């Protein structure tokens, strides 16, 4: 069978976009799909086929274009099912592009809402493994009396060891519980308040961030990549979830290289990581979220947490009460403040 006949048959027998273009687990697969689309177009285009195939070509090319459009719109993963160590997961839609992974919403075969975190490069598999270890350890460190922990971290659900059928590349994929669509990132909050957020609104975000960090550090892990898009905020219910644990490092180990704009000074010398790394970054987030709204005393509080020597920075667990005292001094007794993102944001 020649290439053109084969192309006709492939398109005619296809019933779903993925029949033609496969599963887009990464950017490489998308490039591949585009190439395949152009290859097929070139073969079955009515302008290039034999005159007697023109009618057939018109129908086939219509179908090809339609399937490719669908493939692109759905992120090509619509209805993709992968097998994890414990369950089957079906996911789809346009993925959220994280710093190392694409994150897709889906569900497990027992009905739990999950996100499936697929590293774009197989070389990021170790980062996925670190994220899994960190989340499991932190969760376990909670023990029975510390159920509150689960509100601050995504829960590790399962791991999928995936091999791409065409490229043979292996990927370590993390399945986490879906924390829902009511969250925005701290980066979104910052963008919505370009002149700086009112410190009384930031107060609860920071308290919860410090609580989460204290728990992670107690479990022996540093996050090391506390950027504004890894801090997820639920405005109405004052929820904070620390996501993006791919660069998590055991305290005392040397962290993997991350292309982060804002890192503590010790990052340059490849020192073993301390809890102070996170304390430094968390207070960078504070300054960057409050901007011109930062009261002097909060600025010096943040400066103390961003001292050059990581050993001089306070522990997250001690900062909790210091931060509360400082806020009380500045604003009086703590009370609940409604917080909402401006209507135009997000
Ligand atoms: N458990 C989750 N539930 C819902 N959304 C999530 C969850 N984990 C991550 N996300 C979304 O996906 C984005 C990227 O996830 P993240 O874990 O930071 O990936 P990466 O490590 O590649 O940066 C997050 O900013 C968030 O919007
Ligand atoms: Mg991230």
């Amino acid at each position: 069978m020649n290439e053109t006949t084969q192309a006709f048959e492939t398109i005619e027998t296809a019933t779903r976009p993925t029949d033609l273009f496969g599963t887009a687990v990464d950017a490489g697969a998308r490039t591949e799909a585009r190439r395949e689309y152009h290859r097929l177009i070139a073969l079955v285009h009515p302008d290039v086929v034999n005159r007697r195939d023109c009618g057939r070509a018109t129908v086939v090319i219509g179908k090809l274009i339609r399937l490719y459009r669908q493939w692109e719109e759905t992120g090509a993963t619509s209805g993709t099912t992968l097998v994890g160590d414990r369950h089957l997961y079906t996911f789809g839609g346009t993925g959220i592009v994280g710093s190392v992974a694409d994150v897709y919403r889906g569900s497990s075969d027992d009905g739990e809402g999950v996100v499936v975190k697929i590293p774009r490069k197989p070389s990021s598999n170790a980062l996925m493994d670190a994220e899994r270890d960190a989340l499991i350890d932190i969760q376990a460190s909670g023990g029975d009396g510390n159920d509150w922990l689960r509100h601050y971290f995504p829960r590790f659900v399962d791991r999928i060891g995936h091999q791409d059928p065409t490229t043979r590349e292996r990927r370590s994929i993390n399945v986490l519980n879906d924390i829902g669509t009511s969250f925005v990132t701290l980066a979104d909050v910052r963008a919505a308040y370009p002149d700086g957020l009112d410190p009384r609104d930031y107060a609860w975000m920071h308290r919860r961030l410090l609580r989460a960090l204290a728990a992670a550090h107690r479990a022996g892990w540093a996050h090391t990549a506390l950027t504004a898009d890894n801090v997820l905020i639920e405005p109405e219910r004052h929820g904070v979830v620390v996501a993006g644990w791919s660069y998590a490092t055991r305290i005392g180990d040397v962290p993997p290289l991350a292309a982060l704009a804002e890192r503590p000074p010790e990052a340059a010398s490849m020192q073993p990581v301390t809890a102070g790394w996170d304390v430094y970054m968390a207070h960078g987030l504070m300054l960057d979220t409050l901007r011109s709204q930062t009261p002097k005393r909060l600025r010096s509080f943040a400066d103390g947490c961003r001292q050059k020597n990581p050993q001089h920075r306070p522990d997250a667990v001690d900062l909790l009460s210091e931060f509360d005292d400082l806020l009380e001094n500045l604003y009086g007794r703590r009370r609940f403040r409604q917080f909402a993102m401006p209507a135009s944001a997000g």
Side-chain angles (χ1 to χ4, degrees), residues 14-24 67-68 70-71 74-81:
T15 56
R16 295 168 308 177
T18 46
D19 293 342
L20 292 180
F21 306 112
T23 307
L67 287 178
Y68 186 65
Q70 281 174 15
W71 190 87
T74 56
T77 54
S78 187
T80 299
T81 297

Side-chain angles (χ1 to χ4, degrees), residues 296-314:
K296 251 201 180 124
R297 285 155 71 186
L298 268 185
R299 181 170 298 278
S300 33
F301 180 87
D303 289 345
C305 297
R306 288 165 59 83
Q307 299 179 67
K308 191 154 181 276
N309 183 342
Q311 308 298 340
H312 293 167
R313 297 172 206 150

Side-chain angles (χ1 to χ4, degrees), residues 98-100 117 225 227 229-230 243-246:
S99 56
V100 289
K117 231 184 122 168
T227 55
D229 42 53
N230 283 333
W245 288 83
S246 5

Side-chain angles (χ1 to χ4, degrees), residues 96 98-101 103 105 115 117 154 177-179 229-230 244 246:
I96 306 169
S99 56
V100 289
V103 177
R105 287 205 143 84
V115 297
K117 231 184 122 168
N177 72 314
D178 182 2
I179 61 166
D229 42 53
N230 283 333
S246 5

